[in-house]
């Protein structure tokens, strides 16, 4: 009461001075992390576990709700954040994920961009969120941080993986730099601008709005996209931390998403009339592509029949869901590019297969599952979502498992291609998809089996790939919270969700699985 009385006795002038003093005090203080985070369950949503078809219909909206809730927006819930910022999770302790990560944010916005590409610009709210993200990126890029600054050679500071929600630098120890961030971010922003050109007459919703740094696409190209791509150009051949933020070296995930950003950037730079930069990007794209394909880089091992995620890390076998996530992210559009290592690459497909087999044995919660199962990041994982102990399966690995299979079948329908099963993948097919001896009795002595597009075998096999994919979603349904939110992980034994609540990336990966499921169904009809 005293404070209300005090305010009543102040003149307007004094209130204004007081307010500005408070603002300046607040801007000097570290943000209070306990002030705003909250997890708000979608009211009225309740998972019906008895009817998976109904769940397929209802869950995408729920996952969208949770994803959008984690984006600060003028109407957003995160008072200490800036519009366009994504919180990795509203969890502020055990674990503290109340930060913006460059990778998580870019993958989140790629999810929004996919929806805009599929359904157009009718949803203004969605487009505005992307534009606030782009606007905020301009600020984030220019904040000096422990990795470096914007003005360093190659914009070194852009390798910083995570920032506070108010855009100040996170200065405690961390696995830095992480070289996938600028690649994913520039890719997401270029894709958005291409959609704006293709379906919104080139109109940006926020151009001309106060505090928005761009007027048009070329502002965004020059000031935001080019620096990110310059970072990729300068640093793709240097070591950095992997996407799991744990080990320093060269990584398949990082290299493949970098390759995609450079390759996409070439076409984009040319459209901007910047043939000089396009030439730089082309030269580096070619070098990086050669590097990824070269056996000496170690990604495609001579002895292992799968991709090795981090070849220098000899303490691990190299199986990692990062490999098929990389394949999915870098091929999520049928854009005619010839980036290698889509999900039909025999080594990528085996990374998925061997990880699945490992994880079925490793995690007690998978005992009931015959086909799909809950999948983790990599077999040797010891992060339990809060601390180092025993690793768990993750929601996103499981959702990307489903995506891998939907994408495998979709690609064939989209390109009207025969299914070619490489001998490296015979075990996968025989174990989970189709008895190959019924398709070709002499298959086992052959280097590959070809199943002609549109044949009965083709239809049966792709149906069974699609059912295999569905079985991963069934696992997610078994263990999802009743309110439809997805955390980071599953307890390896009980299957209860654990780790960061409402992880934005979990929602994004599940939305992506539903999207590819629908896409495949439409292509098959
Ligand atoms: C937090 C990182 O984000 C996570 O990937 C890692 O596993 C744990 N720290 C343990 O190092
Ligand atoms: C830990 C994961 O390992 C990392 O990839 C992610 O960026 C952060 N959590 C935030 O979600």
């Amino acid at each position: 009461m005293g404070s209300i009385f005090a305010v009543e006795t102040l003149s307007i002038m004094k209130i204004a001075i007081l307010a500005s003093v408070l603002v300046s005090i607040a801007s000097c203080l570290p943000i209070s992390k306990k002030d705003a985070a909250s997890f708000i369950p979608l009211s009225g949503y309740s998972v019906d576990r008895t009817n998976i078809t109904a769940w397929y219909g209802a869950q995408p909206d729920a996952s969208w709700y949770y994803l959008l809730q984690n984006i600060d927006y003028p109407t957003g819930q995160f008072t200490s954040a800036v519009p366009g910022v994504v919180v990795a999770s509203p969890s502020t302790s055990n674990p503290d994920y109340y930060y913006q990560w460059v990778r998580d944010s870019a993958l989140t916005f790629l999810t929004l961009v996919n929806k805009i590409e599929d359904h157009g610009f009718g949803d203004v709210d969605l487009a505005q969120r992307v534009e606030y993200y782009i606007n905020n990126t301009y600020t984030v890029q220019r904040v000096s941080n422990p990795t470096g600054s914007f003005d360093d050679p190659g914009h070194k500071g852009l390798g910083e993986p995570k920032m506070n929600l108010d855009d100040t630098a996170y200065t405690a120890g961390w696995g830095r730099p992480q070289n996938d961030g600028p690649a994913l971010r520039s890719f997401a922003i270029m894709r958005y601008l291409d959609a704006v050109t293709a379906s919104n007459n080139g109109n940006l919703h926020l151009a001309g709005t106060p505090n928005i740094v761009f007027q048009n696409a070329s502002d965004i190209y020059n000031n935001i996209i080019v620096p990110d791509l310059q970072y990729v150009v300068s640093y793709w051949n240097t070591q950095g931390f992997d996407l799991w933020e744990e080990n320093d070296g060269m990584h398949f995930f990082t290299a493949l998403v970098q390759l995609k950003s450079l390759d996409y950037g070439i076409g984009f730079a040319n459209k901007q009339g910047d043939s000089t930069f396009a030439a730089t990007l082309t030269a580096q794209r070619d070098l990086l592509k050669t590097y990824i394909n070269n056996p000496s880089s170690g990604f495609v091992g001579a002895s292992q029949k799968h991709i090795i995620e981090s070849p220098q890390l000899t303490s691990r076998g190299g199986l990692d869901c990062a490999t098929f996530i990389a394949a999915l992210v870098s091929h999520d559009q049928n854009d005619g590019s010839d980036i290698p290592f889509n999900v039909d690459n025999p080594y990528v497909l085996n990374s998925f297969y061997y990880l699945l087999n490992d994880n079925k044995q490793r995690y007690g919660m998978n005992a009931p599952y015959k086909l799909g199962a809950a999948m983790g990041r990599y077999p040797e994982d010891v992060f339990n979502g809060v601390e180092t102990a025993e690793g768990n399966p993750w929601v996103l690995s499981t959702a990307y498992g489903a995506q891998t299979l939907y994408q495998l079948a979709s690609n064939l329908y989209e390109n009207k291609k025969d299914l070619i099963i490489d001998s490296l993948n015979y075990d996968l097919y025989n174990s989970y998809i189709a008895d190959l001896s019924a398709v070709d009795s002499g298959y086992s002595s052959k280097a590959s089996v070809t199943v002609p597009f549109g044949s009965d075998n083709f239809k049966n096999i792709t149906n069974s790939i699609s059912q295999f994919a569905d079985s991963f979603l069934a696992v997610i349904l078994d263990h999802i919270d009743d309110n439809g939110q997805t955390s980071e992980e599953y307890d390896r034994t009980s299957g209860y969700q654990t780790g960061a609540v409402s992880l934005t990336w979990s929602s994004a990966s599940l939305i992506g699985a539903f999207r590819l499921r629908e896409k495949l169904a439409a292509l098959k009809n």
Side-chain angles (χ1 to χ4, degrees):
M1 276 297 147
S3 63
I4 289 173
F5 176 75
V7 169
E8 280 170 353
T9 60
L10 289 173
S11 70
I12 296 294
M13 181 65 124
K14 282 180 185 157
I15 291 174
I17 292 169
L18 183 63
S20 75
V21 168
L22 286 176
V23 165
S24 62
I25 291 173
S27 61
C28 302
L29 293 173
I31 57 165
S32 159
K33 302 196 51 173
K34 308 295 168 232
D35 63 351
S38 59
F39 166 67
I40 307 167
L42 176 52
S43 82
Y45 185 84
S46 169
V47 172
D48 174 1
R49 284 169 217 284
T50 62
N51 184 344
I52 194 164
T53 311
W55 182 69
Y56 288 146
Q59 182 62 39
D61 285 349
S63 293
W64 270 112
Y65 167 84
Y66 292 114
L67 181 145
L68 293 177
Q69 200 185 52
N70 288 355
I71 299 176
D72 193 78
Y73 186 57
T75 57
Q77 58 162 324
F78 300 105
T79 52
S80 52
V82 179
V85 165
V86 180
V87 296
S89 150
S91 175
T92 55
S93 64
N94 299 320
D96 183 359
Y97 272 36
Y98 201 52
Y99 298 95
Q100 46 175 327
W101 266 265
V102 178
R103 171 182 38 263
D104 297 48
S105 304
L107 292 169
T108 299
F109 279 104
L110 272 170
T111 308
L112 269 74
V113 172
N114 270 324
K115 187 163 187 184
I116 292 170
E117 287 169 349
D118 293 349
H119 301 285
F121 279 81
D123 189 342
V124 173
D125 173 286
L126 223 49
Q128 287 195 356
R129 284 173 194 260
V130 181
E131 293 187 21
Y132 275 112
Y133 164 68
I134 296 172
N135 194 59
N136 184 58
T137 296
Y138 177 87
T139 308
V140 162
Q141 286 175 322
R142 285 158 182 80
V143 175
S144 295
N145 57 61
T147 297
S149 80
F150 187 79
D151 296 327
D152 288 342
H155 306 297
K156 191 160 184 250
L158 300 184
E160 183 70 5
K162 108 182 199 191
M163 290 92 198
N164 294 320
L165 296 183
D166 65 355
D167 286 346
T168 57
Y170 175 77
T171 52
W174 206 250
R176 53 170 73 92
Q178 293 177 22
N179 294 335
D180 56 330
L184 291 167
R185 182 168 62 195
S186 54
F187 179 46
I189 297 174
M190 289 187 285
R191 287 268 298 277
Y192 177 73
L193 292 180
D194 275 346
V196 167
T197 305
S199 351
N200 206 35
N201 299 319
N203 290 327
L204 294 164
H205 285 284
L206 296 184
T209 308
N211 302 322
I212 295 298
V213 297
F214 51 79
Q215 295 289 336
N216 49 46
S218 80
D219 288 346
I220 297 174
Y221 171 73
N222 289 315
N223 301 318
I224 299 171
I225 294 171
V226 168
D228 270 351
L229 291 176
Q230 273 166 343
Y231 182 87
V232 180
V233 163
S234 305
Y235 293 103
W236 70 259
N237 59 357
T238 66
Q239 298 199 169
F241 277 76
D242 69 323
L243 80 166
W244 310 131
E245 315 187 291
E246 295 168 333
N247 77 85
D248 197 2
M250 301 300 281
H251 315 285
F252 181 82
F253 177 90
T254 306
L256 196 61
V257 300
Q258 287 170 333
L259 181 65
K260 182 67 195 181
S261 74
L262 294 178
D263 188 72
Y264 202 90
I266 295 166
F268 201 85
N270 278 325
K271 278 183 266 177
Q272 289 291 317
D274 191 355
S275 56
T276 313
F277 193 50
T280 303
L281 295 173
T282 305
Q284 295 300 317
R285 187 265 323 259
D286 293 347
L287 287 170
L288 176 52
K289 197 170 183 183
T290 303
Y291 167 74
I292 294 177
N293 279 317
N294 192 329
S296 69
S297 70
F299 296 132
V300 182
S303 47
Q304 281 98 334
K305 294 176 175 154
H306 58 79
I307 304 286
I308 311 291
E309 165 63 12
S310 303
Q312 288 123 312
L313 193 65
T314 48
S315 58
R316 287 191 203 160
L319 273 184
D320 197 314
C321 70
T323 57
F324 51 88
I325 301 175
L328 287 159
V329 172
S330 57
H331 297 88
D332 77 332
Q333 260 185 333
N334 197 16
D335 62 5
S337 70
D338 62 348
I339 299 295
F341 300 109
N342 199 344
V343 295
D344 61 353
N345 174 281
Y347 292 88
V348 171
L349 203 49
N350 269 350
S351 283
F352 158 78
Y353 169 58
Y354 293 139
L355 186 65
L356 173 63
N357 282 355
D358 173 281
N359 288 183
K360 278 190 158 170
Q361 303 305 317
R362 187 175 294 279
Y363 303 128
M365 68 168 287
N366 283 331
Y369 300 127
K370 300 267 176 295
L371 290 169
M375 291 174 84
R377 296 190 291 183
Y378 52 91
E380 304 85 348
D381 200 353
V382 290
F383 178 54
N384 73 358
V386 179
E387 62 200 352
T388 298
E390 279 193 309
N392 286 319
W394 281 40
V395 174
L396 65 88
S397 320
T398 309
Y400 283 115
Q403 287 195 34
T404 299
L405 295 166
Y406 291 130
Q407 170 106 326
L408 183 68
S410 282
N411 283 342
L412 299 170
Y413 279 95
E414 211 165 16
N415 302 311
K416 301 195 176 5
K417 277 201 320 206
D418 296 345
L419 167 63
I420 299 171
I421 305 171
D422 190 281
S423 61
L424 281 173
N425 303 129
Y426 286 168
D427 279 353
L428 161 68
Y429 275 85
N430 278 324
S431 306
Y432 292 113
I433 298 168
D435 174 4
L436 290 181
S437 61
V439 178
D440 178 345
S441 56
Y443 82 92
S444 58
S445 58
K446 296 182 178 170
S448 64
V449 170
T450 298
V451 185
F453 179 77
S455 62
D456 284 350
N457 276 335
F458 182 94
K459 286 180 197 149
N460 291 336
I461 292 176
T462 51
N463 279 342
S464 125
I465 292 174
S466 159
Q467 283 162 14
F468 187 17
D470 287 352
S471 70
F472 286 84
L473 292 182
V475 172
I476 291 175
L477 171 58
D478 272 354
H479 300 284
I480 203 162
D481 275 9
D482 287 342
N483 55 36
Q485 75 88 23
T486 43
S487 302
E488 184 179 72
E489 310 187 5
Y490 301 109
D491 177 279
R492 52 158 52 204
T493 310
S494 70
Y496 277 104
Q497 292 197 110
T498 187
V501 73
S502 190
L503 186 82
T504 319
W505 191 3
S506 293
S507 300
S509 66
L510 188 50
I511 289 168
F514 285 117
R515 172 175 175 267
L516 290 182
R517 184 177 191 276
E518 264 184 39
K519 181 178 168 187
L520 175 60
L523 284 165
K524 282 198 334 194
N525 284 328

